Amino acid sequence: MIAISSDNKVLLRDTRREQLLAVAVERFAKYGYHSTKISDIVAQAGVAQGTFYWYFKSKEAIALEIIRVGREGLLMVIERGYPTQNGSVQIMVQGSQRLLKDIFQFGQENRYFMELLLTEGGADETIRQGVRDTRIAMEEAFRRNIERAIEFGMLPKSSDMHMRAALLMSLIEGVMARWLFGPVHPESDLAQRSAEQLAAETVQFEFFGLLGI
Amino acid sequence: MIAISSDNKVLLRDTRREQLLAVAVERFAKYGYHSTKISDIVAQAGVAQGTFYWYFKSKEAIALEIIRVGREGLLMVIERGYPTQNGSVQIMVQGSQRLLKDIFQFGQENRYFMELLLTEGGADETIRQGVRDTRIAMEEAFRRNIERAIEFGMLPKSSDMHMRAALLMSLIEGVMARWLFGPVHPESDLAQRSAEQLAAETVQFEFFGLLGI
Amino acid sequence: MIAISSDNKVLLRDTRREQLLAVAVERFAKYGYHSTKISDIVAQAGVAQGTFYWYFKSKEAIALEIIRVGREGLLMVIERGYPTQNGSVQIMVQGSQRLLKDIFQFGQENRYFMELLLTEGGADETIRQGVRDTRIAMEEAFRRNIERAIEFGMLPKSSDMHMRAALLMSLIEGVMARWLFGPVHPESDLAQRSAEQLAAETVQFEFFGLLGI
Amino acid sequence: MIAISSDNKVLLRDTRREQLLAVAVERFAKYGYHSTKISDIVAQAGVAQGTFYWYFKSKEAIALEIIRVGREGLLMVIERGYPTQNGSVQIMVQGSQRLLKDIFQFGQENRYFMELLLTEGGADETIRQGVRDTRIAMEEAFRRNIERAIEFGMLPKSSDMHMRAALLMSLIEGVMARWLFGPVHPESDLAQRSAEQLAAETVQFEFFGLLGI
DNA sequence: TATGAATGAGAATTCATTCAT
DNA sequence: AATGAATGAATTCTCATTCAT
């Protein structure tokens, strides 16, 4: 019997193509798109320069592929977190916390993709666009979550869904980015938290603000 | 009293230098550090290629200079917003709102610097470091603000100042970034808000969370 | 009598080889030697990249083979057209016309080879040499034709056979090239002529010049 | 007093740009477009690789520039040769001979451009197009010459101007190509002729054909 | 101060050819 | 015979930086 991995991780393994994707996303994240040379990627993958072009049309193409695959995985996680039934605030907080935990875990397991998504602003226009689109899609998913929660009477009505979604996304992106790759103050123990803890604290703030922490 | 030289030469020197800085920060922000060529900068500034090197040692140098100057201005704004006296929650909320408004206004007036600060992750290591340091310094300033507020009994005690500061910074950076340069959903009217409005909504969330909005 | 093997393998072998030759000559002619990639050839032939090298040692080898085969066919046509007996001018004109018609027909049936022969100047030295040799051999054949005609008293003597042959070749090559692949003025109906017509008009000019047309 | 050169030669001198043009046209002609590397050009010109790109956008750009300049010079020569007045056949033959001599001389003085024009079929499509256009323009100029001659009653009427122009162009191109760069039979003394002699013999054939030589 | 031509070290990409299967 | 993945040398082009004037 073959055990199928059920984790969130975007599978990047086995074939040469996936190996190149894995190496590329790591270096793009660590050093940025432009500072990463094709020669670096193939050297780390242990193949010849030309081999890269057997699998990808160009440097841009591999970056877009990384974004495409990562986006799919990420959105799948978020869609799974939809509130689907009526309930108390308590229940909703629990639901939110579970969703955030999943997202943070996804980030932890795909940290290079996440870094690319959250910090890469220096690449070429097509890639910037790909990143932008993914983040907008993510924000959209959250907006729908919030709307659903309001329908179910779990959240007070508000005229501006977009603002709420923006505030949420800001929290999530900012916290995750600091957690995974800083910038973080040397004294802070943020990086040591588990996804679960981080989700709990973030959700607390999300619902009750500074005064409720 | 400081005598300002009225010598044309000196003024021109400063002017030209400022002009190059202004052009550079705009292009760095719009197109990213690597996609911005020295030739683009000098073309837009209307000077010859060599002239650039009279004023700046290198491309990296001008980027670091941009970050240095912007950081000074930004930190000055934040330091001004320190809570300096005891008071009610009401007063603290007002204070926070004023501080946020100032920061958002600074961002509006220095949008290219802000974009560089908030979105440039693709530049070379030295520059990434400069950006990181500035954001850490900013977060530090907020942490001190929060500590002061707790001392004055305006906020409940909490063991993790860093986490609070991180949450705050996430909010501010995320909201400001979306406000000024997206990515933003086409239907959202976020971009139309004044710095004042934006500060009000953000502070509301900051203190009371989603439930309090 | 030569026994033709009816073994499928051998036939397939020949077929595949011919197919690659046919595809190659077409693309060399249409796009030039350098712009034609081995990958283009095998793609159009529907075989794998490696297969090419089972039949041909290299890209250069297939080009030389194309030229060799085409040259044999072309010279065969020309040799057939030799004037072999005494006769009047009238008879010689008819003979010339028949020869030209055969040549033009050969060009029509081997248009890609002809295009390669008449227009490829951009290939590597070995191939240029092959083309040059073929055209010299062709010119030689015409020179011998002219000498024969003079022996038989059908043409006036002249000291420079080579010049006459060069003039003839120029006419034939130029007319055929324009007829088959241009460059040709959009209004011209040159391309619509039959090989027969074209031969008639060319021979007329050949013998009587502009004044005699 | 400064003597202004009044010869036909397209001036390729003095400045770096023109030096690069001169080197490029020579190598394109000698070795073909694709076999000529930018590194060859700059090495022969004695400048750095990057310098090439200060003057020309790309390899294609310099080829097109070469064709553009050469075309202008060539058409200028041909336009000068227009028959402008009525006259006897004798006069027209003289006129034609003078025109051909000028063209041959132009070819001699711009042999590399001429070689490019007459033999380069292997370059990329844009360049092939440039060559084609130039040759069509040339043929057009001849067609107009012939029409004029018919108007003046110097040549018998004929329904197909295009065919006549094609025959003429074939002669001129073929003879010039053989004269300047072969392929030519080793025994032939074609290459030793002067432009004047060549023009005389070609015109003789042009008007009277083989029988009249 | 200012110019702009010149430099040259790379960078991405191409493509004929090889080779294990 | 056939495949197609892999190779790597070669090529075009870029661009930060220098330098003579």
Side-chain angles (χ1 to χ4, degrees):
Chain A
M1 185 187 170
I2 297 173
I4 301 292
S5 160
S6 63
D7 65 16
N8 285 330
K9 201 166 192 174
V10 174
L11 294 175
L12 292 179
R13 282 204 225 97
D14 291 340
T15 69
R16 178 100 337 155
R17 187 169 192 276
E18 275 144 6
Q19 183 198 7
L20 286 168
L21 278 169
V23 171
V25 70
E26 176 186 336
R27 300 200 78 108
F28 284 159
K30 275 191 188 155
Y31 309 110
Y33 177 76
H34 272 110
S35 303
T36 297
K37 321 297 177 199
I38 300 295
S39 59
D40 296 336
I41 296 174
V42 296
Q44 186 172 334
V47 298
Q49 189 98 345
T51 303
F52 177 91
Y53 291 91
W54 178 261
Y55 294 100
F56 301 97
K57 209 175 74 56
S58 65
K59 187 180 174 182
E60 189 181 69
I62 199 177
L64 291 174
E65 175 71 357
I66 285 168
I67 291 167
R68 193 188 61 74
V69 172
R71 168 190 181 136
E72 270 177 25
L74 181 54
L75 290 182
M76 204 175 297
V77 169
I78 296 174
E79 303 296 334
R80 269 211 309 268
Y82 257 53
T84 50
Q85 46 178 359
N86 205 329
S88 65
V89 164
Q90 179 65 14
I91 285 184
M92 191 187 51
V93 170
Q94 280 173 9
S96 275
Q97 191 170 327
R98 205 164 39 242
L99 173 55
L100 274 201
K101 191 205 68 188
D102 288 347
I103 292 175
F104 289 153
Q105 246 165 20
F106 176 90
Q108 203 169 27
E109 288 156 1
N110 300 277
R111 60 164 294 146
Y112 294 128
F113 163 69
M114 218 65 221
E115 192 164 356
L116 198 55
L117 190 71
L118 297 182
T119 70
E120 179 56 79
D124 292 335
E125 190 46 31
T126 326
I127 296 161
R128 291 168 87 133
Q129 192 58 49
V131 166
R132 256 197 302 270
D133 287 349
T134 301
R135 294 174 66 187
I136 289 182
M138 200 175 157
E139 196 162 319
E140 271 306 276
F142 276 106
R143 190 176 54 72
R144 286 194 302 270
N145 270 2
I146 295 174
E147 277 171 354
R148 192 75 62 98
I150 292 176
E151 271 176 43
F152 293 155
M154 297 158 88
L155 272 182
K157 282 186 186 160
S158 160
S159 55
D160 195 346
M161 291 297 101
H162 292 296
M163 182 66 189
R164 285 185 170 192
L167 286 162
L168 251 183
M169 274 290 285
S170 300
L171 270 190
I172 295 168
E173 290 185 347
V175 167
M176 178 148 54
R178 281 170 178 76
W179 179 51
L180 292 175
F181 9 89
V184 102
H185 188 271
E187 278 175 30
S188 170
D189 62 349
L190 181 60
Q192 270 65 54
R193 279 177 177 69
S194 69
E196 185 112 39
Q197 284 177 285
L198 200 67
E201 293 180 68
T202 307
V203 162
Q204 186 67 16
F205 181 77
E206 175 188 351
F207 284 97
F208 308 106
L210 274 182
L211 291 172
I213 292 192
Chain B
M1 187 187 170
I2 296 171
I4 301 292
S5 160
S6 62
D7 178 343
N8 241 339
K9 286 272 178 67
V10 172
L11 284 183
L12 180 60
R13 171 185 192 137
D14 284 355
T15 305
R16 179 100 336 153
R17 194 167 186 279
E18 301 304 324
Q19 184 199 10
L20 285 169
L21 279 168
V23 171
V25 69
E26 176 186 337
R27 299 199 80 107
F28 284 158
K30 275 191 186 154
Y31 309 109
Y33 176 75
H34 272 109
S35 303
T36 297
K37 326 294 177 205
I38 300 295
S39 59
D40 297 334
I41 297 174
V42 296
Q44 186 172 332
V47 299
Q49 189 97 344
T51 305
F52 177 90
Y53 289 88
W54 179 259
Y55 294 100
F56 301 97
K57 202 172 79 56
S58 66
K59 187 180 176 183
E60 191 181 69
I62 198 177
L64 291 174
E65 174 71 359
I66 285 168
I67 291 167
R68 193 189 60 73
V69 172
R71 168 192 183 135
E72 271 177 23
L74 180 55
L75 290 182
M76 205 175 296
V77 169
I78 296 173
E79 303 297 335
R80 269 210 311 267
Y82 259 52
T84 49
Q85 46 177 1
N86 205 330
S88 65
V89 164
Q90 178 64 14
I91 285 184
M92 190 187 51
V93 170
Q94 282 174 9
S96 275
Q97 190 170 328
R98 202 163 43 240
L99 173 54
L100 275 200
K101 192 206 67 188
D102 288 348
I103 293 175
F104 289 153
Q105 248 165 18
F106 177 88
Q108 204 169 26
E109 288 156 4
N110 300 275
R111 61 164 294 145
Y112 292 128
F113 162 68
M114 219 64 220
E115 192 163 358
L116 198 56
L117 191 71
L118 297 182
T119 70
E120 178 56 79
D124 293 334
E125 191 45 32
T126 326
I127 295 160
R128 289 167 89 131
Q129 192 57 50
V131 167
R132 255 198 302 271
D133 288 349
T134 302
R135 293 172 67 187
I136 290 182
M138 200 174 157
E139 195 163 320
E140 271 306 276
F142 275 106
R143 190 178 52 74
R144 286 194 302 269
N145 269 3
I146 295 174
E147 275 171 356
R148 193 78 60 100
I150 292 176
E151 270 176 43
F152 293 155
M154 298 158 86
L155 273 180
K157 281 185 186 161
S158 160
S159 53
D160 196 347
M161 291 297 100
H162 292 296
M163 182 66 189
R164 287 187 167 190
L167 287 161
L168 251 183
M169 272 291 284
S170 298
L171 270 191
I172 295 167
E173 289 186 347
V175 167
M176 177 146 58
R178 281 169 178 76
W179 178 50
L180 291 176
F181 10 90
V184 104
H185 188 273
E187 278 175 31
S188 170
D189 61 347
L190 183 61
Q192 271 63 56
R193 282 180 176 66
S194 68
E196 185 112 37
Q197 284 177 285
L198 198 69
E201 293 180 69
T202 307
V203 162
Q204 185 69 16
F205 181 78
E206 174 189 353
F207 284 98
F208 307 106
L210 275 181
L211 291 172
I213 293 192
Chain C
M1 187 186 170
I2 295 172
I4 301 292
S5 161
S6 62
D7 178 344
N8 240 338
K9 287 271 178 66
V10 172
L11 283 183
L12 181 62
R13 170 185 194 137
D14 283 356
T15 306
R16 179 98 338 149
R17 194 168 186 279
E18 301 306 324
Q19 182 197 12
L20 285 168
L21 279 168
V23 171
V25 70
E26 176 185 337
R27 299 199 79 107
F28 285 158
K30 275 192 188 154
Y31 310 111
Y33 177 77
H34 272 109
S35 302
T36 297
K37 326 293 177 204
I38 300 294
S39 60
D40 296 335
I41 296 174
V42 295
Q44 186 172 334
V47 298
Q49 189 97 345
T51 304
F52 177 90
Y53 289 89
W54 180 260
Y55 294 100
F56 301 97
K57 205 174 75 58
S58 65
K59 187 181 177 184
E60 191 181 68
I62 199 177
L64 292 175
E65 174 71 358
I66 285 167
I67 291 166
R68 193 188 59 76
V69 171
R71 167 192 183 135
E72 270 176 23
L74 181 54
L75 290 182
M76 205 175 296
V77 169
I78 296 174
E79 303 297 334
R80 270 210 310 267
Y82 259 50
T84 49
Q85 47 178 358
N86 205 330
S88 65
V89 164
Q90 177 66 14
I91 285 183
M92 190 186 53
V93 169
Q94 281 174 8
S96 275
Q97 190 169 330
R98 203 164 41 243
L99 172 55
L100 274 199
K101 192 204 67 186
D102 288 347
I103 293 175
F104 289 154
Q105 247 165 15
F106 176 90
Q108 205 170 24
E109 287 155 6
N110 300 275
R111 61 163 292 145
Y112 294 128
F113 162 69
M114 218 65 222
E115 191 163 358
L116 199 56
L117 190 72
L118 298 182
T119 70
E120 179 56 80
D124 293 334
E125 190 46 31
T126 326
I127 295 159
R128 290 168 88 132
Q129 192 58 50
V131 167
R132 253 197 303 270
D133 287 349
T134 301
R135 294 172 68 187
I136 290 182
M138 199 175 159
E139 195 163 320
E140 271 305 276
F142 275 106
R143 190 176 53 73
R144 285 193 302 271
N145 270 1
I146 294 174
E147 276 171 356
R148 193 76 61 97
I150 291 176
E151 270 175 43
F152 293 155
M154 298 158 86
L155 274 180
K157 281 184 188 163
S158 159
S159 53
D160 196 347
M161 291 297 101
H162 293 294
M163 181 66 189
R164 286 185 168 192
L167 287 163
L168 251 183
M169 274 291 285
S170 299
L171 268 191
I172 295 167
E173 290 186 346
V175 167
M176 177 148 55
R178 281 170 178 76
W179 178 51
L180 291 175
F181 10 89
V184 103
H185 189 272
E187 277 175 31
S188 170
D189 62 348
L190 182 60
Q192 270 65 53
R193 280 178 177 68
S194 69
E196 184 112 37
Q197 283 176 286
L198 200 66
E201 293 180 68
T202 308
V203 163
Q204 185 68 16
F205 181 77
E206 176 189 349
F207 285 97
F208 306 106
L210 275 182
L211 290 172
I213 293 191
Chain D
M1 184 189 171
I2 296 174
I4 301 290
S5 158
S6 64
D7 66 15
N8 284 332
K9 203 167 192 170
V10 175
L11 294 175
L12 294 177
R13 283 206 222 95
D14 292 340
T15 70
R16 178 99 337 156
R17 188 170 192 275
E18 275 146 6
Q19 182 198 8
L20 286 168
L21 279 168
V23 171
V25 70
E26 176 186 337
R27 300 199 79 107
F28 285 159
K30 275 191 187 155
Y31 309 110
Y33 177 76
H34 273 109
S35 303
T36 297
K37 321 298 176 198
I38 301 294
S39 58
D40 297 335
I41 297 175
V42 296
Q44 186 172 333
V47 298
Q49 189 98 345
T51 303
F52 177 90
Y53 292 91
W54 178 261
Y55 293 100
F56 301 97
K57 207 172 77 53
S58 65
K59 187 180 171 182
E60 190 181 70
I62 199 177
L64 291 175
E65 174 71 358
I66 285 168
I67 291 167
R68 194 189 60 74
V69 171
R71 169 191 181 133
E72 270 177 25
L74 180 55
L75 291 182
M76 204 175 297
V77 169
I78 296 173
E79 304 296 335
R80 270 213 307 267
Y82 259 52
T84 49
Q85 47 177 357
N86 204 330
S88 65
V89 164
Q90 178 64 15
I91 284 184
M92 190 186 51
V93 170
Q94 281 174 8
S96 275
Q97 190 170 329
R98 203 163 42 240
L99 173 55
L100 275 200
K101 191 206 66 187
D102 288 347
I103 293 175
F104 289 152
Q105 244 164 22
F106 176 89
Q108 202 170 29
E109 287 155 3
N110 299 276
R111 61 164 292 145
Y112 293 128
F113 162 69
M114 219 64 222
E115 192 163 359
L116 199 55
L117 190 72
L118 297 182
T119 71
E120 179 56 79
D124 293 335
E125 190 44 31
T126 327
I127 295 161
R128 290 168 88 131
Q129 191 59 49
V131 166
R132 256 197 300 272
D133 288 349
T134 301
R135 292 173 67 188
I136 289 183
M138 200 175 156
E139 195 163 319
E140 271 306 276
F142 275 106
R143 192 178 52 74
R144 287 194 301 269
N145 270 2
I146 295 174
E147 277 172 355
R148 192 76 61 99
I150 292 175
E151 271 176 42
F152 293 155
M154 298 158 88
L155 273 180
K157 280 185 186 162
S158 160
S159 54
D160 196 345
M161 291 296 100
H162 292 296
M163 182 67 188
R164 285 186 170 192
L167 287 162
L168 249 184
M169 273 290 285
S170 300
L171 269 192
I172 294 168
E173 289 186 348
V175 167
M176 178 147 56
R178 281 168 178 77
W179 178 50
L180 291 175
F181 8 91
V184 104
H185 189 272
E187 277 177 30
S188 169
D189 60 349
L190 182 60
Q192 271 64 54
R193 281 181 177 66
S194 69
E196 184 112 37
Q197 282 176 286
L198 200 67
E201 293 179 67
T202 306
V203 163
Q204 185 67 16
F205 182 76
E206 174 189 352
F207 284 97
F208 307 105
L210 274 182
L211 290 172
I213 292 190

